Structures are given as C-alpha cells and as structure tokens.
Amino acid sequence: MTDAPGRAARAGYADRVAERAAEQAVPEGPEGAYRAGALDLLGLLAYGALTAFDRLAEDARMAPTLPDKVQLATMAARQVAHFERVRSRLGEFGVDVMTAMRPFHEAFNAFHDYTRPKDWLEGLVKAYVGDGIAADFYREVAAFVDADTRALVHEVLADSGHADFVVDNVRAAIENDPKVAGRLALWGRRLVGEALSQAQRVAADRDALTSLLTGTVDRPGLDLAAISRMFSRLIENHTRRMSALGLQA
Amino acid sequence: MTDAPGRAARAGYADRVAERAAEQAVPEGPEGAYRAGALDLLGLLAYGALTAFDRLAEDARMAPTLPDKVQLATMAARQVAHFERVRSRLGEFGVDVMTAMRPFHEAFNAFHDYTRPKDWLEGLVKAYVGDGIAADFYREVAAFVDADTRALVHEVLADSGHADFVVDNVRAAIENDPKVAGRLALWGRRLVGEALSQAQRVAADRDALTSLLTGTVDRPGLDLAAISRMFSRLIENHTRRMSALGLQA
C-alpha cells in the first residue's frame, strides 16, 4: 500500500468513525474519533474481564485441590475488580458500560465457545496464553489513548503473580507425563488462531478502534511496517509464554 | 436438662476441646478452648465464602440479562474478598486456612448438593435466604469470640445492597406471575430445613464451636432458655426475609 490510497482509506475511516462517534453520543470536535476508539478499548476490556471471570470460575470447579480452587477463584474475582475499574472510567466519559460492551459480545462469546477447555490444564493454558496475547494487544492499542486511560489499562492488565501459578502447574504436569506437552502445544496454537480470527472480526467491524492504530486524516497512526512490527511483538511474546510453559509455539 | 449434668457434659466438651486445640496447634492455657471455637467460626466463614463464590458464579451464568450477570459476578467476587480477609485473620492466629476449613467441607458440600437452584429465581432466593440465615447464625456465635474476630465477622457479613437487588427481582417475578410465589415459598422452606440439618451435623461434630455458645467449665455460656431464644431470633429473621420477598415462611 502506498501512502496515497492509505490516506484515502483512512479518510474513509474517519468519516465512518465520526458517524459512529455521533451515534455513541461522543462529543464532537477533533477528539471525537479518538474518544470513540478509547471507548471501544474500554468496552473490550470490560467485556473481556466479565467473560474471563465466567471462565475462571468454571475452571475453578475443575481444580484438583482446594488451594488450586482458591487460586482460580482469586483470579476470577480480580477480573470483576478490573471490570469495576473500567466501568467507572467509562462513567467518567459519561458512557454506560453495557453500551460500551455491546459491540464485543459476539466476538468474545464465539472465542469462548470455540475454545472450551476440556480439563484443568487446558483451562490454565488458556488463562495464561489467551489472556496474555489479548493483554499485549490492549497495551499496544493503549499507546494511542490519553494518559489516564492508558494508566488504567496498564494497571488492569498488570500481572499479579498468577502467571507463576500457571507456569509451575503446567510444567509440573508435563514433567509428570511428557505426553501432555504435545496436546497442550496444539491447544496453545488453537487459542491463538481463534484469538486472531476474532480480533480480525472486531477490527473489521470497529473502525474507531482500528483507526487508533492506523491514524486518521487528523492524526498520524502506525504505517504498515509499524503494524507488522506490532504483530511481530505479539507473536514473540506469545512464543515466550509458550516456552515458559515448556511448550512449542 | 438440669444444671449438674449440663456442667458434666460441658466438662466433657472442654476435655475434648482441649485435645482438638492441641491437635490444631492452638496455644495451651485458659484461652485454648475459646481459640479453637474462634478458629472453627473462621473456618466455617472461609469455606462458606468459597462455596458461595462457586454457587454465585454458577448463578451468574443463568442471569437473564447482562446487568444481572454483572450483579451476580460482583456478589461472587465479594465472597472471595471475604475469604481473603478471613484467611489473613487465621494467619494472625498462625493457622492455615485450608486446615481450618477442612472440618466443614462435608456439611457445606452436602448443603449445596441438596439445594441446587433449578433456575435464576431459585438461585436468587438461595443467595438471600440461605446466606441470610447462615450470616445470622455466625453473628450469634461471634458474640462469644474476641473483639477483633467479632469485628471481622460483622464486617464480612455486612450487607452491601445486594439484598435489594434480590428482593426487587423476586418481587417483580411474582408480580409478573403470581404462581411463582408458591414454588419459591416451598424452596425457601427446603433451604432452611437443609441449612438446619447441616448446622446440626456441624454442631454435633465440632464441640469447640458448640461450646462457644454453651460455655465450658471455665467460662459461662448460654443456658437452654437463651439457646432457645437464639433459635427464635434466627427463625424470626428468616420469616422477615421471606416476607420481604413476598413469600410465606
């Protein structure tokens, strides 16, 4: 893509973003498109936290021991705390969290429907690998929103030692039965495939979010090379997580 | 029961409590029996919170709307926060929460197995009526423990407006379809029956807890008349909750 058609496409984006922004009662002005993108990011985070709660609570039920159950219950409760933080930030923007989440129901529900863990280990890998790549993506997008929203996103996504719990458990399970590694490696690849395919659906559907990354006529964004570097970073981090688990990406 | 055999029975309690206290590594001395009772109360609260989390998270999945789901997820997360508070109080006593909860697995698991809500409304009634009577009982027992533990128990059990959510929803459902009231009233009676039957199992098994209420040779407790008044209070409060829901107790 040369710069000229890129700009034209982005101008198209900007028009549609402005329409969407008006629909969502986002104040007019040069900030409109940016705000719509930030609201989309917060809506994604909120619905992501809510569905993660649901899934972690279900995983807790598969826990082999009571301390494991406590660990998963704690991770689930933390998602509700994240949801509450994001909801109150949306409130500061004058936007209802239910409205902000609506555009993302389908993608998240499809992702979770297609990736139901069959057992405790698959649940752990999903919590670590799936949430990991999602969190990395949110952080990339957050680079383009205002400082307060960015700080909130980073805070909500900060790891709180749960990664160690997952890594220790999965590595122990593989040590105990090396055959497990092949199955979980396949599972990890499926998780990323589904995550990317749902992310694509969201990107195609939510111009405001996409234009945070790609820029608009009024505001520079990433060029194609930068977007490709972003994807490289996401995949690199994913590979690092898989090998932390003792799995091939 | 006259006072003499009562005292003899309580002396028997005290001996066994002292044994249990020693098993649980509770410091020796006149405080031993009391401490064992306080630890039992905290163990009950911790396991109660953990199973309540599990149940509320399952109920959240039956929520008819997304705001309802958020409400139940918030209630579930709150139980994890309670669990964490109780765990850290147990830590101050030098006791592991897993050890303190162990004696209560069977009673709670049986209670929840026998009272699985068939739908959203039964789940709401259980959250309000079942947790309500349990909370009242914990508060009664807490009258006999140290001030710090008592304050923690009251704080953990404080209502946070969730009761209003349940009451509003159940009353609206009955208004919409008055036939629902009969089924839910039966359900409420079953919940109390199962709760009392499991409470009896715990009382028979955990002398340290029972002796908080009945006293020991060293420490006066409630006499039979006072225990009967306590049960009257529990039933009165239960009846009040049922009628708040628009249901006959």
Side-chain angles (χ1 to χ4, degrees):
Chain A
M1 201 195 285
T2 67
D3 196 49
R7 270 190 175 274
R10 293 203 288 266
Y13 275 171
D15 289 345
R16 278 174 286 155
V17 166
E19 268 176 50
R20 286 266 166 74
E23 276 167 38
Q24 295 196 347
V26 172
E28 298 284 356
E31 295 276 89
Y34 149 71
R35 274 177 66 105
L39 296 183
D40 268 3
L41 177 60
L42 292 171
L44 261 177
L45 271 172
Y47 198 67
L50 207 54
T51 55
F53 160 80
D54 201 34
R55 170 172 53 70
L56 290 166
E58 206 164 355
D59 292 348
R61 216 160 287 143
M62 295 195 277
T65 70
L66 198 54
D68 289 334
K69 195 192 194 77
V70 167
Q71 182 79 33
L72 269 275
T74 308
M75 288 162 74
R78 210 164 158 262
Q79 295 293 337
V80 176
H82 294 169
F83 170 83
E84 288 171 342
R85 293 294 315 278
V86 174
R87 176 174 59 190
S88 86
R89 178 76 186 141
L90 281 163
E92 290 165 18
F93 278 110
V95 173
D96 178 51
V97 67
M98 298 298 159
T99 310
M101 294 194 296
R102 198 161 301 135
F104 309 109
H105 291 187
E106 217 178 319
F108 275 102
N109 295 349
F111 175 71
H112 289 303
D113 282 348
Y114 293 150
T115 59
R116 291 204 175 278
K118 272 196 315 291
D119 59 21
W120 168 246
L121 286 175
E122 288 192 1
L124 288 186
V125 170
K126 182 172 170 180
Y128 180 59
V129 163
D131 291 0
I133 201 163
D136 282 345
F137 176 70
Y138 300 150
R139 278 192 206 98
E140 294 281 354
V141 179
F144 299 93
V145 300
D146 64 286
D148 284 354
T149 301
R150 181 162 56 249
L152 172 71
V153 170
H154 281 266
E155 187 197 319
V156 159
L157 298 176
D159 180 50
S160 62
H162 292 130
D164 289 344
F165 171 79
V166 173
V167 168
D168 292 350
N169 268 266
V170 173
R171 294 193 82 102
I174 293 171
E175 200 159 307
N176 188 48
D177 176 7
K179 283 196 310 294
V180 164
R183 173 167 71 87
L184 292 180
L186 271 177
W187 173 244
R189 281 198 280 282
R190 207 173 119 207
L191 288 169
V192 176
E194 287 296 342
L196 291 180
S197 118
Q198 295 305 328
Q200 206 138 12
R201 173 197 282 205
V202 168
D205 197 44
R206 302 303 292 179
D207 297 337
L209 194 65
T210 314
S211 71
L212 276 182
L213 290 173
T214 58
T216 65
V217 277
D218 306 316
R219 195 179 50 75
L222 298 176
D223 58 18
L224 258 193
I227 287 188
S228 137
R229 281 196 299 276
M230 182 190 90
F231 270 98
S232 300
R233 281 194 298 275
L234 292 178
I235 296 302
E236 232 168 72
N237 266 344
H238 167 67
T239 307
R240 199 181 41 70
R241 274 187 293 270
M242 289 293 275
S243 59
L245 294 173
L247 300 174
Q248 281 214 300
Chain B
M1 202 195 283
T2 67
D3 197 45
R7 270 189 174 275
R10 292 202 288 266
Y13 275 172
D15 289 346
R16 277 174 287 156
V17 165
E19 269 175 49
R20 285 263 167 73
E23 279 168 34
Q24 295 197 347
V26 172
E28 298 285 354
E31 295 275 89
Y34 148 72
R35 274 177 67 106
L39 296 183
D40 269 3
L41 177 60
L42 292 170
L44 261 177
L45 272 172
Y47 199 67
L50 208 53
T51 55
F53 160 81
D54 200 34
R55 170 173 53 69
L56 290 166
E58 207 166 353
D59 292 349
R61 216 159 290 143
M62 295 193 278
T65 72
L66 198 56
D68 289 334
K69 194 191 196 77
V70 167
Q71 181 79 32
L72 270 276
T74 308
M75 288 163 75
R78 209 163 160 262
Q79 295 292 338
V80 175
H82 294 169
F83 171 84
E84 288 171 341
R85 294 295 314 276
V86 174
R87 175 173 60 189
S88 85
R89 179 76 186 138
L90 281 163
E92 291 166 17
F93 278 110
V95 173
D96 178 53
V97 68
M98 299 297 159
T99 310
M101 294 194 297
R102 198 161 300 135
F104 309 110
H105 292 185
E106 217 178 318
F108 275 102
N109 295 349
F111 175 71
H112 288 302
D113 283 348
Y114 294 150
T115 59
R116 292 206 174 277
K118 272 196 314 290
D119 59 22
W120 167 246
L121 285 175
E122 288 192 0
L124 288 186
V125 170
K126 182 171 169 181
Y128 180 60
V129 162
D131 292 0
I133 200 163
D136 282 345
F137 177 70
Y138 300 150
R139 279 190 206 100
E140 293 281 354
V141 178
F144 298 94
V145 301
D146 64 286
D148 285 354
T149 302
R150 180 162 56 248
L152 172 69
V153 170
H154 280 267
E155 187 198 319
V156 160
L157 299 176
D159 179 52
S160 61
H162 291 131
D164 288 344
F165 171 79
V166 173
V167 168
D168 292 350
N169 269 266
V170 173
R171 294 193 82 103
I174 293 171
E175 202 159 304
N176 189 48
D177 176 9
K179 283 196 311 294
V180 164
R183 171 167 72 87
L184 291 180
L186 271 177
W187 172 243
R189 282 198 279 283
R190 207 175 118 207
L191 288 169
V192 176
E194 288 297 343
L196 290 180
S197 119
Q198 296 305 329
Q200 206 138 13
R201 172 197 279 203
V202 168
D205 197 44
R206 303 302 292 178
D207 298 337
L209 194 66
T210 315
S211 71
L212 277 182
L213 290 173
T214 58
T216 65
V217 279
D218 308 315
R219 197 178 50 74
L222 298 175
D223 58 18
L224 259 191
I227 286 187
S228 138
R229 280 196 300 276
M230 182 191 89
F231 270 98
S232 300
R233 282 193 298 276
L234 292 178
I235 296 300
E236 233 167 71
N237 266 344
H238 166 68
T239 306
R240 199 182 40 71
R241 275 187 293 270
M242 290 291 278
S243 58
L245 293 173
L247 300 173
Q248 280 214 299

